[in-house]
Amino acid sequence: MWTAVWTVVVALGVLGPLLGRAAWEGRGALDQAALAAAEGRVDREIMELGRAARWRVPFADHDEAALARLMAIAAEAERGGEAGSQTALTAYREARGALLASAAWGVADPDLLDAANQGIARLMAAQEQMFGTDLSGTGTAEAYHLGLLRQAGEQRPPWPALAVVAAALSLGLALRGRSSRSARWVWGALAVLGALATWALRPG
């Protein structure tokens, strides 16, 4: 019983500050984005929204609000035509970058990522048409760019996180004989939770 209680206390002691800091930083960046919007600084608003979206926490919603606002800025700017194309492209790219940067075991919103990819591809194809270029060589610029974006965003196994977890487990085994079995489980669980939390909450 005491071992279980101690495990919970230690785990909360490790995860609590990490989760708290992520939520605090994310909410602060979202507030800064709102301030920038009030000042008419859309460039700074996009940057702060990207920061907010990168501080992803399971129980907080600031990252979802930031991503939704980025996509809204992009869509509105894109409707403005050529004059807003660069703003739209920047917002789409920031949303895409935030989703990929905060992906630990998977992208938080695959549909939103694909929508950002499509927006980027659409705008890049429009730029090619304006400058008279064709990187695809087949007249299918939008499909070409979309394919590259999707390929670059493919999820790969989180080898760094797995390596840290393996190292933590190895450390626990190395302590065998120096402490009780319950203590080894406590510190092994602590190391694993710490490694996973550090990887999942890392800012991109």
Side-chain angles (χ1 to χ4, degrees):
M1 177 180 176
W2 287 112
T3 300
V5 172
W6 178 246
T7 300
V8 171
V9 170
V10 172
L12 290 177
V14 172
L15 293 177
L18 288 172
L19 293 171
R21 184 196 171 194
W24 176 271
E25 294 283 356
R27 179 55 58 180
L30 198 60
D31 290 342
Q32 289 297 315
L35 181 61
E39 296 174 348
R41 292 286 308 277
V42 67
D43 54 337
R44 184 179 174 187
E45 182 185 5
I46 291 173
M47 180 187 72
E48 293 293 347
L49 288 170
R51 284 186 58 226
R54 282 168 168 78
W55 287 105
R56 182 160 62 92
V57 187
F59 59 81
D61 62 354
H62 62 265
D63 55 321
E64 296 174 0
L67 288 169
R69 177 58 183 156
L70 281 171
M71 296 300 288
I73 291 174
E76 182 180 355
E78 191 174 0
R79 285 193 294 269
E82 183 180 338
S85 63
Q86 193 56 48
T87 296
L89 189 58
T90 301
Y92 279 133
R93 283 174 171 166
E94 196 64 38
R96 179 179 186 273
L99 283 166
L100 293 177
S102 59
W105 305 100
V107 175
D109 192 334
D111 292 336
L112 190 63
L113 175 62
D114 200 54
N117 285 339
Q118 291 180 36
I120 295 170
R122 196 164 51 244
L123 290 166
M124 292 183 71
Q127 286 184 352
E128 283 203 45
Q129 184 177 12
M130 183 174 62
F131 291 113
T133 58
D134 181 15
L135 294 178
S136 69
T138 59
T140 56
E142 185 173 339
Y144 171 76
H145 288 294
L146 183 58
L148 290 178
L149 288 164
R150 284 175 173 169
Q151 182 180 4
E154 288 179 356
Q155 289 299 292
R156 297 175 177 81
W159 297 120
L162 294 176
V164 173
V165 171
L169 292 175
S170 299
L171 178 60
L173 291 174
L175 295 175
R176 189 175 183 177
R178 298 187 180 181
S179 58
S180 66
R181 177 179 298 179
S182 60
R184 289 199 302 274
W185 277 112
V186 169
W187 294 110
L190 172 62
V192 171
L193 287 172
L196 292 178
T198 301
W199 174 261
L201 297 176
R202 74 198 190 286

